[in-house]
Amino acid sequence: MSTASVAYGDAHPLQRTPWDRYRHSLWLLTTRDLKVRYSTSALGYLWSVLDPLVMAGIYWFVFTQVFQRPVGTDPYIVFLLSALLPWMWFNGAVSDSTRAFLKDAKLVRSTKIPRTIWVNRIVLSKGIEFLLALPVLALFAIVFRAEVGWQVVYFPLAILMQALLTAGVALIVAPLVVFFRDLERAVKLILRFLFYASPIIYGVSDLPENLHFWAAFNPLSGIFGLYRSAFFPDELDWFNVVVAALMSLALLAIGLLVFRSSVRQVLKEI
């Protein structure tokens, strides 16, 4: 039997490349997190979509039935969900990253796997939950007859950009919380502010014209625009997307720099 025909799972650990070992460890920890999260819940997967659905229902009722204020684009529920679902990924991953080292301190200290895995597993598990929630978005798009354009091909690009952005922010937050415990609460406050400062319940076009340029420097604006362009082509602004891509790469680079320069002190603190 040739070496090429040996399955990865059957290969001896020493025969695996560093990338293979990293990927394998990342996947094992991610699936462990998902199994633990859902095994203790009767509703399981439904909880990953129930929260954004309830939030979307509240905002839909407020802005279409109570105030009837013209924000977003019809069908408004699809407009909401196309940004709210990816927001839940970003919010959940960054929020949970504040406990990335403190929650499993003994394992982090005792294992030899790259420490970035303890952060990236959170980003990946929340990303998988986001992907599992996409059928709900598709269902609402069908029910409310939202037209799907060819721009749906930008979905993978949006997912990639968001993964880079989320990983970068999480890699900054995770080690800093170990040194500054109050940062955990501060992050939650910042995320709450960022929710309203991001085009989720509204679009960039709903902002005053003098704020359109500055809105681009919230990288979520360009990413959410990519998601929404599948149903609302006018939401796509390439300037916002380019700025979001550059900022995502920059934050990832900063995150890796902060993480690598602080990881030794983190291991001493936890």
Side-chain angles (χ1 to χ4, degrees):
M1 182 181 294
S2 64
T3 304
S5 63
V6 177
Y8 169 78
D10 297 330
H12 189 278
L14 295 179
Q15 295 176 332
R16 301 170 184 169
T17 66
W19 166 243
D20 285 334
R21 291 195 294 271
Y22 186 97
R23 185 180 59 184
H24 182 64
S25 300
L26 176 61
W27 183 248
L28 283 178
L29 287 173
T30 301
T31 52
R32 185 202 70 166
D33 283 355
L34 291 171
K35 289 177 181 177
V36 170
R37 191 175 304 157
Y38 291 135
S39 64
T40 57
S41 170
L43 294 179
Y45 159 74
L46 291 179
W47 283 117
S48 65
V49 297
L50 193 59
D51 190 19
L53 281 179
V54 170
M55 290 181 64
I58 292 172
Y59 287 115
W60 172 84
F61 179 76
V62 169
F63 288 107
T64 64
Q65 305 301 311
V66 179
F67 294 115
Q68 296 184 349
R69 183 176 178 83
V71 293
T73 307
D74 290 329
Y76 185 58
I77 190 69
V78 177
F79 182 88
L80 269 174
L81 285 172
S82 56
L84 192 55
L85 291 177
W87 164 259
M88 299 300 290
W89 173 14
F90 178 82
N91 178 76
V94 174
S95 180
D96 285 1
S97 70
T98 60
R99 306 288 299 172
F101 293 125
L102 302 175
K103 183 179 178 181
D104 295 305
K106 290 183 180 179
L107 282 175
V108 174
R109 288 196 305 265
S110 61
T111 57
K112 297 297 183 180
I113 60 176
R115 269 67 188 197
T116 54
I117 285 180
W118 297 100
V119 177
N120 289 334
R121 59 158 182 156
I122 297 173
V123 177
L124 181 57
S125 65
K126 293 297 182 180
I128 291 173
E129 288 183 350
F130 164 69
L131 294 176
L132 292 175
L134 288 181
V136 175
L137 175 61
L139 177 62
F140 274 83
I142 293 171
V143 171
F144 288 89
R145 299 180 180 179
E147 295 185 4
V148 180
W150 63 266
Q151 290 86 351
V152 71
V153 299
Y154 293 138
F155 246 75
L157 176 60
I159 292 171
L160 174 61
M161 287 173 57
Q162 183 170 349
L164 296 177
L165 172 66
T166 308
V169 175
L171 287 169
I172 295 172
V173 169
L176 292 182
V177 169
V178 175
F179 305 120
F180 310 103
R181 298 300 172 91
D182 288 341
L183 186 60
E184 182 177 352
R185 293 187 178 183
V187 166
K188 295 184 186 302
L189 290 176
I190 293 170
L191 287 171
R192 190 175 303 172
F193 168 79
L194 189 59
F195 174 84
Y196 293 103
S198 300
I200 300 173
I201 59 179
Y202 57 86
V204 174
S205 58
D206 295 313
L207 294 171
E209 191 171 347
N210 62 322
L211 293 180
H212 287 189
F213 174 79
W214 299 109
F217 292 91
N218 175 353
L220 293 175
S221 296
I223 293 171
F224 292 167
L226 278 174
Y227 286 121
R228 279 179 167 153
S229 66
F231 309 102
F232 314 101
D234 292 341
E235 291 295 315
L236 181 59
D237 186 322
W238 282 110
F239 175 72
N240 291 354
V241 173
V242 171
V243 172
L246 294 175
M247 290 188 68
S248 297
L249 290 172
L251 284 168
L252 179 61
I254 294 171
L256 289 171
L257 182 63
V258 169
F259 192 92
R260 289 173 179 173
S261 63
S262 61
V263 67
R264 289 186 179 179
Q265 289 299 320
V266 166
L267 295 177
K268 292 179 181 178
E269 289 287 333
I270 59 176

